[in-house]
Each structure stands twice: as structure tokens, then as C-alpha cells.
Amino acid sequence: MAPDCIGEEVEKLAAALPDGGVLLLENVRFYKEEEKNDPEFAKKLASVADLYELDYLVGAVANPKKPFAAIVGGSKVSSKIGVIESLLAKVDILILGGGMIFTFYKAQGLAVGKSLVEEDKLELATSLIETAKSKGVKLLLPTDVVVADKFAADAESKAIAKQLAELTGKGVTTIIGGGDSVAAVEKAGLADKMSHISTGGGASLELLEGKPLPGVLALDEA
């Protein structure tokens, strides 16, 4: 693991790599030049490598192994509309969790008490359920919830992380994306049990939505 993504020390570490060795560079996000698309910064990044591979996330979008399942969480449907709609065109199974499930529950006529509901997204939730049916996608909502007087944010995530770790051991490709999900997996001590962990955060979600990412487009053209 290099302490930086560019610079003299990185160049030395790259030059000293044995055949078959792997050098992991620090995240590029710590440089403001990254989002400014700075050409000099790009040259420095490119100078230590011959190949840039986008395997897991791009593969999951373009050519996923079947059956392809996605688990989407979050407190609001509104922040995940693009991801859900995009995934419905690709997955065999879509599992929803987090606070957004109550909007789907209410859309189906279930009582949700004081749980978080986006009243203006009830029609959208119904529409997404219908879209899943029409595409033959199995859309799964939790069959039970825990009723409590306080919120334990990581209870659900721990159980899912443990299940995914077991699946990885059975040969399933598991990809974790998004800051909160990555943090939950790391907190559970299961990060090394996953096939791939994306630190891309918002960018990885945009990729799953099908939005063009400038860096990916440049690599495709090259």
C-alpha cells in the first residue's frame, strides 16, 4: 500500500515491484486536481502504470454473472430512484432495506406507525413494484421489522454483511459500494471476506445508474 497516489515514493515502489506483485495506491480524492480534470495530474497518475482496470463495478453493469442480485438501502426512496430504476433493467433479484421500505409498505396499504415515509413518493413506489413485476424481477422487502423506541443504525447492516461474507465463501461475487455500506462491512470486520469493496461512494452509485463518468469514458476511448 503506497502512502500516496503520485510522487517520487510511489514511483520507487512501482519500479521495485516483483513480477506478479501488486501495489495499491492511495485514493485520488485527496487531490483537488482530480475533480478539476487536471492534465498534469493525469500524466503523473499514468506514469507509474501501463494498465488501468475497471473490473467489478463495470462488469456488474455491463456483463453481470447470473443470477444477479442487488441490495439497496438508505432512508429515502428519492435518493435512490435512479439506481433502483437502472438496476431493475439488469437484476434478477432486487432486495430493498433501510428506511425507504416504509414508503413501499405504505404504498401497499400497510400500517407503518411513525416510521419515516415519503408521502410524495407513494405513487413512485407502486410504479417501481409494477415495473419489477413486468420485467420478471423478484423485488423483496423485509417480511418483518423490529419495533423499538430508539434507532440502531447498524443492526440490519451487520446481518447482511455476515450473510454476504458466507456467500463469498461459496463462490458468489460480492461487491460493496457506498460510504455507509463500506463502513458497516469494515466495522463488522468482514471487509476482507468480500470480493470487492468500492471506495467510489457517489461515483459508484452514478456508475450503477448508467451515468457516464468522465474518467471511465476517457479509459474506454483510450
Side-chain angles (χ1 to χ4, degrees):
M1 172 73 194
D4 207 332
C5 60
I6 59 171
E8 193 175 330
E9 191 170 353
V10 173
E11 289 168 16
K12 283 180 182 174
L13 288 168
L17 268 181
D19 284 348
V22 176
L23 175 66
L24 181 66
L25 303 184
E26 180 54 89
N27 201 319
V28 296
R29 72 185 303 165
F30 300 113
Y31 284 88
K32 62 182 184 295
E33 292 91 340
E34 187 243 337
E35 288 198 358
K36 291 182 178 178
N37 201 21
D38 183 273
E40 288 306 311
F41 179 67
K43 282 179 185 174
K44 288 176 185 175
L45 275 174
S47 69
V48 293
D50 302 311
L51 180 70
Y52 192 105
E53 184 177 22
L54 288 159
D55 188 3
Y56 283 98
L57 277 172
V58 172
V61 174
N63 188 29
K65 293 177 183 176
K66 296 286 187 173
F68 179 23
I71 303 171
V72 180
S75 58
K76 295 181 177 181
V77 186
S78 53
S79 64
K80 296 290 192 304
I81 294 170
V83 174
I84 293 172
E85 287 180 334
S86 175
L87 287 171
L88 282 174
K90 301 177 177 74
V91 300
D92 303 294
I93 304 165
L94 179 60
I95 302 167
L96 300 182
M100 73 165 79
I101 64 171
F102 297 105
T103 302
F104 284 88
Y105 284 158
K106 188 163 184 178
Q108 293 175 311
L110 299 174
V112 295
K114 294 181 180 178
S115 299
L116 175 72
V117 170
E118 288 181 281
E119 298 287 346
D120 62 334
K121 294 291 181 286
L122 293 173
E123 282 186 26
L124 171 70
T126 302
S127 170
L128 290 171
I129 291 169
E130 290 303 316
T131 300
K133 280 182 187 172
S134 68
K135 291 183 178 294
V137 175
K138 191 182 286 187
L139 193 152
L140 301 176
L141 290 161
T143 55
D144 197 5
V145 293
V146 175
V147 179
D149 57 5
K150 68 175 184 175
F151 186 60
D154 61 348
E156 181 185 27
S157 300
K158 273 185 186 173
I160 292 172
K162 189 177 177 185
Q163 185 65 49
L164 289 175
E166 289 177 11
L167 288 171
T168 312
K170 294 176 181 176
V172 175
T173 300
T174 52
I175 305 168
I176 310 295
D180 292 336
S181 299
V182 172
V185 169
E186 287 179 343
K187 189 176 177 183
L190 296 167
D192 62 337
K193 303 292 185 188
M194 305 300 167
S195 306
H196 177 70
I197 290 188
S198 169
T199 54
S204 59
L205 290 178
E206 287 185 17
L207 189 67
L208 288 174
E209 281 183 56
K211 290 181 179 177
L213 300 184
V216 176
L217 286 176
L219 290 164
D220 285 343
E221 287 166 10

